[in-house]
Amino acid sequence: MVPAKIRVPVAEALPRERLESRLDAAWRHRLTLVIAPAGSGKTTLVARFAAASGVPVAWYRAETWDADEGSLVRHLEAALLGALPGLAGGWTTVEDAARALEAGPVPAALLVIDDGHALEGTAAEAALGRFVDYAPPWLAVVVAGRVPPSFNLPRLRVSGELLELGTDDLRFRAWEVEQLFRDVYHDPVPPADLATLARRIEGWAAGLQLFHLATRGRSVEERRRVLGVTGGSGRLLREYLAQNVMFGLPEELRRFLVDTCVLGRLSGRLCDRLRGASGSGALLDELARRGVFTVPVEDSDDAYRYHEVLRGHLDRMLVEEIGEIGARERHARAGALLEAEGALPEALRAYCRAEDWEAVRRLLGGQGERLAAGGGSWVDAVPPAIERHDPWVALAAARRARNDGRWPTAVDAYVRAETVFGPGRAADAPRHERLALTAWMDPAAIPPPDASGVLRSGLVREPAAAVRDLARVVDPAAPVARGLLALAAGEVVAARRLLTAAADSPDAADAGRLPVAAARLGAAVAAVLAGEAWDGRAFDRAAEEAERAGVPWLARLGRELGRRLDPSAGASDGEADGAGDAVGAEAWSGALLALATAWSAADPDAGLAAAESAARGFRRLGAGVPEAWSRALAAAAIVRTGAPDAREAALAAESLGRATGTPAARMLAYAALGRGAGGRGAEYAQLADAVRADIGLALPPALVAGRPDGPFEPAGAATPAASEGEAGRADATAPVNASVRIRTLGGCGLDVDGRRVSLDRAKPRVRSLLRLLAIHAGAPVHREVIQEALWPEADADAGARSLHVAVSALRRLLDEVAQPVGGRLVVRDGDAYRLGIPPDAVDLGRFDRAIVEGRAARSRGEVSAAAFSLALELYAGELLPEEGPADWVIERREHYRSKAIEAAIGLAEEAMLAADYATTVRACRFGLELDRYQDTLWRMLIDARDRAGDAGAASRDRREYASVLEGLGVEAPVAISPF
């Protein structure tokens, strides 16, 4: 017995939570297999899992001479008795082992059999299969090796008793490569080089280690030169492959590998034609079964490819055998075979390796568009001289650089492609893609009118308006953009629903893998922000989707976002500033990661630093909507520190949220203002709750923690009145000596003590100021927002003077008619103004509350008819028709119109279920007056008429419905009842 074979190895390596969480399921399975080629990190992974398991661990490393049952049993006995001293010994057969284990009163234990492939085809392997069958449930058995064991695995799969991790599972993802070099090797790789490294090494653990050993201490430029050579780390890598992959292979397989390495895509038919022999399909299957870096091609059932690292090594062996000229001839022949097969990227690479430049130019000239559309993996093989002069190569290089996150490089390549294409339609694709990418890099650039451009515009301001613009965009990615805009606004419940639906839609393939990956990531973030139970797997799935899409920068972002938003992890202070002076993808990633840190930070100082970093990053990117989030989270952090300027920071954040149309920022600012001990804290808290009920956003840790030690102002203290010129101070608030009510729906009206007050003697801008303040229902409106709404053409000074005059005139009017005692109805809060009345004094406040109560009742399964009926009663018409198409009222007008339609649908549905057909008809007619294209209301209306026995009215409604559908070019359905 060699003690080293049963010694548990010590693994000091990168924690791989993605895989270790998968292995946690080993306790629920009879057998766990970890099968992957040499150097994939199997032993390291299982050793880390064993060390963290917290149970006794028995370890056995198999070797080829452990071929009989007796040898296997002796090693299992030594390993298990070492871990579980209470077991009875003296085993000679598997049955002896099973009896001893059954008698052992152990809650749980782990048995690892490493290098299980060494037992392949032996009596020991068959005995191991019996041992797995006989082992008690408390013993988890893990087998790691290069090939799966040959005992009855299908039976274990069918019974759900087998857990399997394979080659693709163990492959290092882009974010894991970044973590490995940063946290383990302490030798970070620049983001621009990470994609190249991951692509060349294909996530192979040993390849990454050998690259590190070969390049440690070298400059970034030297590393890049190494990356530019196929095969990566040279001598060390060749030695590893020769000793651990090629050594011991049967000569037939070794010969086959060298002969066929010239094919970038391998099938039995292609290999037979290249070799002039038959039986290639069986040899390929055997190589794949042995785990010799022979990978199935994703879009085929019978095709393979060799791992890039192995292919480079085999090509070197080919040159050593037949010389460079012979190798080029072999590659040229392979290129012709691949081209005839339609494998154009692989054919192009073969022609490039053969230095057959005439064939390369011919293929690019005839199939360049198809090659550029299919991905850019072949670009590395094309020499710079051709890339500079061929537009399709330049376009493919641009797309690859864009997906890698090297956006400035991509823009240069797009320009080169446009230049070489010259005038004509061929240059449209690179021009459009360049403009779209430039818009994400340069805030001054004009986004194109596609889904990406509308999304970019919606991140500047007014995401709700951008959603409306998307309705006019014909783009498969539009549903994803719609969901991301909802997420940007903070409407997290709607965002998750929209993004999940977009990712799972049958039409998702038309949009492409990148939008689907973005949808998965957005849905995972929305779930966290909605306060749902933490699901780290959602972020892993999104990152995996981005990896498969060939967008490594998004994969790294997704995984890191998941880590920073994990409530059990927390972010360190050093992670606060992620934006820096980066450009392009790095700038967006840095700002988003800083924002995630600000959201999750438990320490207010760390949260403030992260929020300010995010705000700076988004400001440089011209992204006002996420900047508003950042400012609001910074205000929340300042509140927790008890700083004297907390109130001003929160008011400024609320103003920015309102100016950018970001409900989430307003909610967070209101919640921060509500934390103060002053007299208006409760009002602001109510406003925050109202917005939160509307959008579904949860409170971040910064606003869930206890009340800060330093409040905004001493409890119960009077706030001194301020003159118009005293910035930063607030007007006095006091009870109003009258009952004031303001109506905005269906026309503006002011009632005092139940009597209507005429506003005709006020000037038009003064009346508009009252209406503007009224639709905010008592919340402060920043003076810059008012100036932009009412005096958009005036400069800052002229607008401020006009506002001063209008405020004074409005105060005089309201003071005269309402007679407030010791205070004013128009109150100044720092640089903002509000009406000094409760939210319910404005019909919008009561309308909002009715909608929230109706939604809440429906979510609890209760009757919501009363609340929705009240909402319809309050909706006397569109919001402030007197203001016409004024920009500041259009969005809110549409918002309340859609809420009224929602109330009509809710009331009609409940009335229908209660067989109250008269109410159903009234509710449906009400909703159709607002939007005659509401299909649900038409169907319920006609069904209610039929059920009420009013055949004539039902017939008229059917004709009207059919006319509406005809106008839309839609055929009227035969059956229309949804019930």
Side-chain angles (χ1 to χ4, degrees):
M1 183 65 62
V2 179
K5 295 176 64 172
I6 60 170
R7 183 181 303 135
V8 181
V10 177
E12 296 181 358
L14 176 74
R16 302 186 72 183
E17 298 94 339
R18 174 176 60 86
L19 297 178
E20 290 166 19
S21 63
R22 290 272 307 277
L23 282 175
D24 284 339
W27 309 106
R28 302 190 296 275
H29 295 79
R30 182 175 293 277
L31 174 64
T32 297
L33 294 180
V34 182
I35 306 298
S40 296
K42 302 180 294 293
T43 300
T44 301
L45 171 66
V46 177
R48 279 192 55 86
F49 172 67
S53 66
V55 302
V57 177
W59 190 284
Y60 162 44
R61 178 169 58 84
E63 294 183 283
T64 53
W65 43 84
D66 301 337
D68 59 89
E69 180 176 347
S71 178
L72 172 76
V73 170
R74 284 195 302 275
H75 284 92
L76 291 180
E77 179 183 23
L80 285 163
L81 264 65
L84 306 168
L87 290 179
W91 307 349
T92 58
T93 66
V94 166
E95 288 71 20
D96 292 339
R99 282 190 289 270
L101 290 169
E102 285 293 344
V106 178
L110 176 66
L111 170 63
V112 177
I113 299 168
D114 199 12
D115 289 344
H117 58 272
L119 306 178
E120 182 185 12
T122 66
E125 185 182 56
L128 177 60
R130 298 203 327 274
F131 177 85
V132 170
D133 286 340
Y134 298 156
W138 52 260
L139 181 65
V141 181
V142 178
V143 176
R146 299 180 189 177
V147 298
S150 58
F151 47 77
N152 198 346
L153 296 180
R155 178 174 58 81
L156 293 174
R157 287 193 187 99
V158 169
S159 63
E161 295 180 307
L162 180 63
L163 174 65
E164 296 177 273
L165 275 71
T167 302
D168 187 62
D169 296 311
L170 269 70
R171 176 178 58 83
F172 272 71
R173 287 8 182 193
W175 68 87
E176 292 174 323
V177 175
E178 181 180 28
Q179 289 176 330
L180 177 69
F181 278 83
R182 183 189 65 210
D183 300 338
V184 177
Y185 299 152
H186 304 293
D187 196 6
V189 176
D193 297 334
L194 279 171
T196 304
L197 176 60
R199 186 166 52 248
R200 291 293 173 83
I201 305 298
E202 293 192 45
W204 181 41
L208 295 170
Q209 165 76 353
L210 292 171
F211 174 81
H212 165 63
L213 293 175
T215 61
R216 60 184 172 184
R218 296 195 188 186
S219 67
V220 172
E221 290 72 20
E222 289 176 306
R223 270 185 168 181
R224 285 177 180 159
R225 280 197 294 272
V226 172
L227 277 175
V229 178
T230 303
S233 46
R235 178 181 57 81
L236 294 176
L237 187 57
R238 293 196 302 274
E239 291 176 356
Y240 184 92
L241 292 170
Q243 292 295 322
N244 294 278
V245 177
M246 302 299 293
F247 181 76
L249 281 179
E251 178 58 27
E252 183 183 24
L253 291 180
R254 181 191 171 282
R255 181 74 264 152
F256 181 82
L257 282 167
V258 175
D259 287 344
T260 58
C261 71
V262 295
L263 293 169
R265 183 186 181 98
L266 304 117
S267 66
R269 181 178 62 257
L270 270 173
C271 293
D272 283 348
R273 293 179 63 187
L274 178 71
R275 297 167 62 233
S278 61
S280 297
L283 294 174
L284 280 171
D285 292 340
E286 177 63 12
L287 286 170
R289 190 193 69 79
R290 286 173 173 261
V292 188
F293 292 97
T294 305
V295 185
V297 174
E298 191 172 308
D299 61 354
S300 173
D301 294 331
D302 62 350
Y304 295 90
R305 66 177 180 83
Y306 294 140
H307 191 288
E308 185 66 22
V309 172
L310 176 63
R311 203 166 72 86
H313 178 65
L314 293 173
D315 186 69
R316 182 179 290 271
M317 292 177 64
L318 180 66
V319 171
E320 290 173 353
E321 289 186 11
I322 64 175
E324 177 63 28
I325 294 177
R328 289 179 190 171
E329 292 173 350
R330 188 78 61 85
H331 278 282
R333 183 163 174 245
L337 291 172
L338 289 163
E339 184 179 2
E341 193 75 11
L344 300 183
E346 293 82 1
L348 187 67
R349 292 185 63 159
Y351 285 140
C352 287
R353 174 64 182 84
E355 298 186 7
D356 186 348
W357 307 126
E358 181 179 347
V360 169
R361 292 187 177 90
R362 173 182 56 76
L363 193 59
L364 286 169
Q367 301 290 340
E369 184 172 7
R370 182 176 165 190
L371 281 163
S377 61
W378 49 270
V379 173
D380 292 333
V382 179
I386 292 181
E387 181 182 344
R388 284 193 297 269
H389 297 93
D390 188 279
W392 297 113
V393 180
L395 179 57
R399 288 170 174 169
R400 222 252 308 268
R402 177 195 62 193
N403 291 347
D404 285 352
R406 299 178 286 116
W407 290 0
T409 302
V411 169
D412 292 342
Y414 279 128
V415 171
R416 189 162 60 251
E418 291 177 60
T419 302
V420 180
F421 271 126
R425 294 185 61 185
D428 288 348
R431 183 179 303 110
H432 176 82
E433 292 176 27
R434 174 179 60 81
L435 293 174
L437 188 60
T438 303
W440 287 92
M441 297 172 61
D442 181 2
I446 299 175
D450 60 4
S452 170
V454 175
L455 173 60
R456 178 65 175 99
S457 298
L459 294 179
V460 177
R461 59 177 297 164
E462 302 293 352
V467 168
R468 291 196 296 273
D469 293 340
L470 276 174
R472 299 188 293 272
V473 173
V474 180
D475 188 331
V480 178
R482 186 175 296 110
L484 292 175
L485 285 166
L487 177 59
E491 298 173 358
V492 291
V493 175
R496 189 183 186 200
R497 173 175 51 79
L498 289 168
L499 292 169
T500 302
D504 295 337
S505 168
D507 300 327
D510 296 335
R513 281 182 164 179
L514 173 57
V516 171
R520 297 245 183 256
L521 179 55
V525 172
V528 173
L529 300 184
E532 297 185 18
W534 171 253
D535 182 10
R537 292 172 299 178
F539 286 92
D540 288 341
R541 287 192 294 269
E544 292 279 358
E545 192 82 46
E547 282 268 332
R548 287 193 293 271
V551 190
W553 74 266
L554 184 61
R556 293 193 302 272
L557 172 62
R559 187 65 181 83
E560 187 64 15
L561 276 175
R563 190 177 72 82
R564 298 209 186 185
L565 290 172
D566 183 352
S568 65
S572 68
D573 294 349
E575 293 172 335
D577 192 350
D581 296 322
V583 295
E586 292 180 44
W588 283 98
S589 295
L592 287 168
L593 290 175
L595 183 59
T597 302
W599 176 275
S600 301
D603 177 64
D605 292 330
L608 178 59
E612 290 180 340
S613 170
R616 289 193 299 270
F618 289 124
R619 172 60 63 88
R620 283 194 293 270
L621 291 166
V625 171
E627 182 189 353
W629 281 74
S630 307
R631 299 293 182 195
L633 288 171
I638 294 173
V639 165
R640 291 185 60 199
T641 64
D645 59 345
R647 180 186 182 87
E648 286 72 17
L651 286 171
E654 192 277 340
S655 177
L656 180 60
R658 192 175 298 283
T660 57
T662 313
R666 288 171 41 225
M667 189 208 93
L668 294 171
Y670 289 149
L673 287 163
R675 303 299 301 280
R680 296 209 63 215
E683 288 184 43
Y684 283 118
Q686 288 178 354
L687 286 170
D689 289 341
V691 179
R692 183 168 54 177
D694 200 27
I695 64 177
L697 183 66
L699 287 175
L703 290 169
V704 174
R707 187 180 295 276
D709 295 334
F712 295 147
E713 63 243 2
T719 308
S723 68
E724 288 292 333
E726 292 178 298
R729 297 180 64 190
D731 291 328
T733 59
V736 175
N737 193 29
S739 173
V740 177
R741 291 262 173 158
I742 299 178
R743 177 172 55 84
T744 61
L745 293 167
C748 185
L750 173 65
D751 294 337
V752 178
D753 288 333
R755 59 182 177 84
R756 178 59 47 88
V757 175
S758 174
L759 300 174
D760 292 342
R761 57 195 178 94
K763 292 184 178 180
R765 291 293 173 88
V766 175
R767 295 198 296 268
S768 290
L769 176 59
L770 173 63
R771 295 165 190 152
L772 177 59
L773 295 176
I775 65 172
H776 291 84
V781 186
H782 197 277
R783 59 178 175 80
E784 292 181 0
V785 175
I786 301 174
Q787 290 172 211
E788 183 180 353
L790 302 185
W791 298 277
E793 292 84 14
D795 59 36
D797 291 339
R801 288 193 297 271
S802 297
L803 174 59
H804 173 85
V805 172
V807 167
S808 298
L810 181 59
R811 277 177 166 166
R812 286 194 300 271
L813 171 65
L814 296 179
D815 288 354
E816 178 183 336
V817 297
Q819 300 177 357
V821 177
R824 285 172 167 171
L825 277 174
V826 179
V827 181
R828 184 179 180 122
D829 276 341
D831 286 338
Y833 294 92
R834 62 180 173 84
L835 290 177
I837 54 177
D840 274 6
V842 183
D843 58 353
L844 290 185
R846 301 192 297 281
F847 179 87
D848 284 334
R849 188 173 64 183
I851 293 292
V852 169
E853 290 175 354
R855 288 174 176 172
R858 297 193 81 180
S859 67
R860 295 192 299 267
E862 300 171 359
V863 176
S864 59
F868 285 144
S869 180
L870 175 60
L872 296 186
E873 180 182 339
L874 289 166
Y875 194 84
E878 71 174 19
L879 180 67
L880 298 179
E882 301 91 343
E883 293 295 336
D887 289 342
W888 58 270
V889 78
I890 288 177
E891 180 187 348
R892 282 179 169 266
R893 186 179 290 159
E894 180 63 26
H895 173 73
Y896 282 103
R897 176 175 165 274
S898 66
K899 280 188 173 183
I901 295 171
E902 175 191 348
I905 293 174
L907 177 59
E909 288 175 344
E910 290 208 1
M912 192 74 165
L913 293 172
D916 182 358
Y917 304 127
T919 299
T920 303
V921 169
R922 286 197 298 272
C924 289
R925 275 298 175 191
F926 188 100
L928 290 170
E929 287 294 326
L930 300 178
D931 183 359
R932 67 194 304 261
Y933 299 107
Q934 285 289 329
D935 190 73
T936 300
L937 291 174
W938 278 114
R939 290 169 179 261
M940 278 195 291
L941 172 64
I942 297 169
D943 196 24
R945 299 281 201 196
D946 284 335
R947 296 191 184 198
D950 193 347
S955 178
R956 288 193 300 273
D957 289 336
R958 280 193 179 89
R959 288 196 298 272
E960 189 177 355
Y961 179 37
S963 175
V964 170
L965 293 177
E966 184 181 355
L968 294 173
V970 178
E971 185 177 351
V974 176
I976 60 171
S977 173
F979 292 90

